[in-house]
Amino acid sequence: MSVEAHFGDSPLVLGLPHTGTHVPPDIAARLNARGQALADTDWHIHQLYDGLAEGASSVRASFHRYVIDANRDPGGQSLYPGQNTTGLCPTTDFDGLPIYRDGAGPTAEEVAARAQKFHAPYHAAMAEALARAKARHGFAVLYDCHSIRSEIPFLFAGVLPDFNIGTNLGTTCAASIEAGVLARCKATGRSHVLNGRFKGGWTTRHYGQPAQGIHAIQMELAQSTYLAAEAPPWTYDAARATRLRAQLSDILTFLSHWSPQ
């Protein structure tokens, strides 16, 4: 299965598009050493969030973002025009270096096939989870779970804050959701930013329609907050993660009990 979906009874839905590490053998054989290292994985994010939001639904991609990025526009439009980024089927890593042996990457036909096999099922499951939540509660809240290395000069200058909240400049969720998450990030004493380098990916922007009762917010965590080191073997640091999990639990509890009334 390319997608793991769990449907709960809470209005909260967790999206996990980048924790998967599965690469089909035919695609893996075409990747160079950098590509096969899968360095741009959102390492252990599913483990970090596991059990933090009782009753929440979750949708997780088991395939790697190098196969196809479930958080990119299936039409290929850039999320950040004019800025360095990676596309729907990346041909470079986050450092801007090629990940394919031939340097070319998949053809347009291959991209279309991957979109049908991997991208579409992920979003079919996401749409179902949100529809179920909205039918039960009258609204749904999507929290998109991400992490990334805190220093990647190709993508951004300097060191990334610990918490990076994205609401596409306040358009993807109610103002009270944005304010509540921001307040809880501030209360941790950790570095944080609202709509900084990461303003919410395609998932957040596509589903986040507050007027239609669907609210979406993205959280991009610096991996230094829960990994022993931002380098192979990408070891999960239990002590760091325990501290962070308590803070994330506070955020998810708020979102689970949030109401538009």
Side-chain angles (χ1 to χ4, degrees):
M1 294 290 291
S2 62
V3 180
E4 300 169 7
H6 169 75
F7 302 118
D9 57 8
S10 161
L12 182 63
V13 178
L14 305 184
L16 301 104
H18 294 153
T19 71
T21 56
H22 174 66
V23 180
D26 60 320
I27 298 175
R30 295 168 57 189
L31 297 177
N32 61 24
R34 292 191 70 89
Q36 292 177 0
L38 306 181
D40 299 331
T41 305
D42 289 16
W43 296 103
H44 309 294
I45 276 290
H46 54 295
Q47 180 179 354
L48 183 68
Y49 280 97
D50 185 44
L52 293 186
E54 183 177 356
S57 298
S58 63
V59 181
R60 179 187 178 224
S62 60
F63 55 90
H64 194 264
R65 69 189 304 156
Y66 289 169
V67 177
I68 193 166
D69 193 329
N71 198 35
R72 294 291 184 270
D73 184 344
Q77 296 296 312
S78 175
L79 291 172
Y80 299 99
Q83 293 180 277
N84 289 337
T85 187
T86 52
L88 180 62
C89 286
T91 57
T92 65
D93 63 11
F94 285 168
D95 295 309
L97 299 173
I99 59 173
Y100 281 85
R101 294 183 187 278
D102 59 10
T107 65
E109 290 75 16
E110 289 173 323
V111 172
R114 294 186 197 183
Q116 182 177 11
K117 186 174 182 179
F118 299 101
H119 194 283
Y122 177 85
H123 286 285
M126 179 61 72
E128 181 178 357
L130 291 168
R132 283 170 175 257
K134 184 179 177 183
R136 187 181 186 97
H137 298 279
F139 67 96
V141 179
L142 168 59
Y143 177 95
D144 217 32
C145 311
H146 296 263
S147 74
I148 194 169
R149 286 177 283 147
S150 59
E151 294 185 73
I152 308 179
F154 182 71
L155 296 182
F156 51 82
V159 179
L160 202 67
D162 290 349
F163 290 112
N164 299 265
I165 307 164
T167 64
N168 199 26
L169 304 178
T171 62
T172 64
C173 66
S176 58
I177 288 178
E178 182 184 83
V181 173
L182 180 61
R184 283 159 179 79
C185 289
K186 287 181 177 178
T188 68
R190 294 181 183 268
S191 57
H192 56 274
V193 67
L194 173 64
N195 292 311
R197 174 60 179 86
F198 299 101
K199 296 177 175 63
W202 186 77
T203 302
T204 304
R205 302 183 198 192
H206 176 69
Y207 293 105
Q209 302 179 43
Q212 305 303 316
I214 306 290
H215 303 265
I217 188 167
Q218 177 175 304
M219 179 64 76
E220 188 87 56
L221 298 168
Q223 290 179 344
S224 58
T225 58
Y226 69 95
L227 295 184
E230 295 181 333
W234 313 103
T235 303
Y236 187 84
D237 186 315
R240 289 182 180 181
T242 296
R243 291 191 294 271
L244 181 60
R245 276 172 56 84
Q247 296 161 348
L248 293 173
S249 178
D250 186 38
I251 292 170
L252 296 184
T253 298
F254 160 69
L255 293 175
S256 295
H257 291 93
W258 179 86
S259 172
Q261 283 78 33

